[in-house]
Amino acid sequence: MAMMWAGRFSKEVDSKVNAFNSSISFDGRMYGHDIIGSIAHATMLGKCGIISMEDSEALVAELKNVLKEIDEGKLQLDMNAEDIHMFIESVLTERLGETGKRLHTARSRNDQVALDIRLYLRDETEEIKSLLKNMINVLCDIAEKHTDTVMPGYTHLQRAQPITFAHHIMAYAQMFLRDIDRLNDVEKRMNQCPLGSGALAGTTYPIDRDFTAELLRFSSATVNSLDGVSDRDFCIELASAISLIMTHLSRFSEEIILWCSWEFKFIELDDAYATGSSIMPQKKNPDVTELIRGKCARVIGDNMNLLTMMKGLPLAYNKDMQEDKEAVFDAVDNVKLCLSTFIPLLETMSVYRENMRNAAAKGFINATDCADYLVKKGMAFRDAYKITGGLVALCIEKKTDLEHLPIEDYKSRSELFDNDVYESISLDTCVNMRSSKGGPSPESVREQINHTKKTLNKLLHSAHNYVT
Ligand code: ARG
């Protein structure tokens, strides 16, 4: 097939080079956005009198046909084409002759591809946000059911202080809220229209860049044509925001993996979200969460890939930049896949309240509360800390715990101890008393749930409605 740019060349490009250069296998997925961009461009060309209204209308009508045919599978992408932009243009030219050839007036593939990626990623970002919204709603639902499910809170993976399962779950809700906020922020800079930057130096035609920006629902046109075609910051920012979402999912996955081990047994995954072993009949493996933890690594790799690909490039467009798509698409695909698998996994898992409570009842996680008891009776915290440490040692020696240590033993260490100590160090008291803002008490967590729902609404409300 003769290339669009064949005029300058006296022989055919080697077929291996053609195959090497071709990007349609991965940019083909942008066909809808490419066509929408071309419809805006053709409309502008007609409005500004750069092509006739008749040509403009014919182009728009045929572009719509092509879109419909590809959507319906009636028109197949030609994998021998150089890229999606060339493919669509060649179909138009085949069908409309001269008129088809006029579409590329006052445009270059450089501003075209910069436009397409922004349009494509803008829609994908909205989808990721909507998955995050589902995730947060599911987390709030789980938390609502478990405001009084006591579990151990950990530091260094050692039992530390009692919390509730709701409190633990709502910590993740905050991470995902920040993720939505970050995506909103990424969208702000993504949502500028590079169309009309031309190859690098704009154009001599009297185009109207603000008009196309508005047609395509961008907040403005990019300011500098060199930057317009060579900026991929929005890909890097998106991949970076996605890396953080994946990092959150990976930490959560790690906890799920621990929690469904026999050593913890805080939860059990639904059979539909776990897998068996080919040899060990007793096994029920948390493959999904392990795979999410694994995929986090490749998405961080995608982000690195984009940064290193860009770091040495002179202005403006360089072919290296064609590599942006596979990296950023991989990040987008994987985060969507992980979120949409993880959400129902959480929704369907069983929570073993008793096991959580039993784990909290061991390990002296009420030792801080025992020390606080003495402080409330007038002792300095450091002294109270030391006495409680001694009591813990005594419990270990006597193979008992603070709840069951006789009052005489308490009194032998400090006269301030009385029978009310047992009430003060009971697990429920320990949790209920931690009612500081953001704390684990049922009341504090209910407030966190309300706050989260309000913030979620605000974050999604402040966002633009793009749907193209
Ligand atoms: N397929 C190319 C890409 O993805 C489109 C831009 C080509 N521009 C060029 N000057 N060769 O980057």
Side-chain angles (χ1 to χ4, degrees):
M1 184 174 76
M3 286 297 171
M4 289 272 181
W5 30 261
R8 156 84 173 74
F9 287 74
S10 54
K11 58 165 139 162
E12 292 275 302
V13 173
D14 185 275
S15 64
K16 278 199 285 301
V17 173
N18 275 337
F20 185 67
N21 270 338
S22 169
S23 55
I24 192 161
S25 62
F26 52 86
D27 64 23
R29 62 161 84 188
M30 301 194 302
Y31 73 88
H33 299 88
D34 189 76
I35 292 174
I36 280 160
S38 288
I39 289 176
H41 183 65
T43 308
M44 183 278 292
L45 290 177
K47 180 197 92 115
C48 295
I50 299 166
I51 61 173
S52 69
M53 268 327 264
E54 212 184 339
D55 278 342
S56 166
E57 278 159 18
L59 283 168
V60 170
E62 201 51 44
L63 281 162
K64 286 183 180 161
N65 288 339
V66 174
L67 177 59
K68 191 158 176 276
E69 287 169 40
I70 303 179
D71 275 345
E72 289 170 357
K74 290 186 185 142
L75 176 63
Q76 301 290 327
L77 304 188
D78 174 5
M79 286 300 138
N80 294 315
E82 191 179 338
D83 53 31
I84 188 61
H85 328 293
M86 290 301 209
F87 171 72
I88 307 273
E89 197 185 326
S90 67
V91 173
L92 277 182
T93 306
E94 249 167 54
R95 295 184 182 183
L96 300 177
E98 284 299 305
T99 303
K101 293 187 203 161
R102 293 190 206 282
L103 174 64
H104 212 50
T105 316
R107 186 175 71 169
S108 154
R109 259 187 308 157
N110 295 348
D111 55 349
Q112 188 178 358
V113 72
L115 170 71
D116 292 4
I117 314 170
R118 284 176 192 257
L119 286 172
Y120 181 84
L121 293 181
R122 199 170 70 173
D123 283 348
E124 294 293 309
T125 307
E126 285 297 302
E127 267 188 50
I128 301 169
K129 273 161 56 183
S130 129
L131 285 166
L132 287 169
K133 173 186 135 199
N134 297 347
M135 166 69 101
I136 293 168
N137 282 331
V138 165
L139 294 179
C140 288
D141 288 349
I142 297 175
E144 264 155 16
K145 285 187 214 127
H146 291 283
T147 49
D148 52 11
T149 304
V150 177
M151 73 180 280
Y154 297 81
T155 61
H156 313 271
L157 205 55
Q158 302 284 320
R159 289 169 191 160
Q161 289 178 344
I163 57 168
T164 61
F165 188 52
H167 187 227
H168 201 117
I169 288 294
M170 288 312 289
Y172 282 102
Q174 306 317 302
M175 301 180 215
F176 295 123
L177 272 182
R178 288 196 295 275
D179 287 328
I180 295 185
D181 198 18
R182 246 184 299 276
L183 290 175
N184 280 346
D185 198 48
V186 170
E187 281 181 320
K188 256 195 295 188
R189 285 174 292 277
M190 183 187 286
N191 199 30
Q192 298 187 338
C193 186
L195 191 62
S197 298
L200 74 161
T203 175
T204 54
Y205 294 98
I207 58 171
D208 185 345
R209 292 194 59 206
D210 296 328
F211 179 69
T212 38
E214 205 182 297
L215 279 183
L216 294 165
R217 284 175 240 184
F218 282 101
S219 51
S220 59
T222 53
V223 170
N224 177 293
S225 63
L226 281 175
D227 183 51
V229 289
S230 65
D231 171 30
R232 293 294 182 273
D233 290 2
F234 58 95
C235 296
I236 297 171
E237 286 191 58
L238 179 61
S240 158
I242 294 176
S243 300
L244 212 39
I245 301 172
M246 288 299 300
T247 301
H248 296 152
L249 287 174
S250 182
R251 294 183 75 180
F252 207 165
S253 293
E254 169 64 14
E255 299 211 284
I256 297 282
I257 293 163
L258 284 173
W259 290 345
C260 63
S261 72
W262 280 106
E263 284 68 16
F264 280 80
K265 263 296 168 253
F266 287 180
I267 59 152
E268 182 163 347
L269 297 179
D270 188 83
D271 283 358
Y273 289 91
T275 48
S277 153
S278 58
I279 173 171
M280 297 165 282
Q282 83 284 14
K283 290 297 281 294
K284 185 165 176 185
N285 293 332
D287 284 31
V288 168
T289 37
E290 290 167 67
L291 206 46
I292 291 175
R293 202 174 50 183
K295 280 178 184 291
C296 178
R298 74 187 264 181
V299 170
I300 292 172
D302 292 329
N303 191 18
M304 282 304 134
N305 179 346
L306 287 163
L307 280 165
T308 22
M309 183 268 286
M310 289 300 288
K311 79 183 229 326
L313 296 188
L315 300 185
Y317 177 84
N318 300 269
K319 187 79 168 190
D320 316 41
M321 288 158 73
Q322 179 166 286
E323 293 282 314
D324 59 357
K325 283 172 269 321
E326 278 166 298
V328 76
F329 293 169
D330 187 72
V332 164
D333 292 349
N334 276 290
V335 77
K336 280 170 34 184
L337 201 59
C338 290
L339 281 167
S340 46
T341 318
F342 196 57
I343 296 168
L345 174 143
L346 290 175
E347 259 180 318
T348 54
M349 72 186 181
S350 316
V351 177
Y352 294 145
R353 294 167 194 257
E354 278 310 301
N355 292 350
M356 288 188 181
R357 194 179 176 90
N358 288 341
K362 292 175 196 147
F364 306 103
I365 68 175
N366 47 4
T368 317
D369 302 86
C370 180
D372 287 344
Y373 170 90
L374 291 173
V375 171
K376 280 172 196 155
K377 296 214 166 178
M379 192 181 281
F381 181 76
R382 274 296 156 225
D383 295 330
Y385 174 96
K386 208 163 161 190
I387 287 177
T388 310
L391 287 168
V392 168
L394 185 64
C395 286
I396 293 170
E397 196 188 309
K398 292 188 151 193
K399 294 201 169 51
T400 182
D401 50 37
L402 289 169
E403 290 94 313
H404 298 98
L405 189 71
I407 191 67
E408 299 75 50
D409 285 325
Y410 276 104
K411 284 189 184 290
S412 72
R413 305 296 168 106
S414 167
E415 275 308 312
L416 294 176
F417 279 118
D418 225 325
N419 271 324
D420 59 349
V421 68
Y422 297 107
E423 169 64 21
S424 300
I425 61 166
S426 91
L427 272 184
D428 293 311
T429 314
C430 294
V431 169
N432 292 337
M433 295 295 283
R434 289 192 152 73
S435 55
S436 48
K437 198 179 170 111
S441 80
E443 186 196 328
S444 301
V445 173
R446 270 193 288 274
E447 205 172 294
Q448 290 166 42
I449 297 172
N450 285 339
H451 183 268
T452 299
K453 286 181 175 170
K454 267 192 224 138
T455 313
L456 179 62
N457 249 327
K458 247 191 272 165
L459 286 176
L460 294 172
H461 216 74
S462 69
H464 344 249
N465 182 15
Y466 295 124
V467 191
T468 35

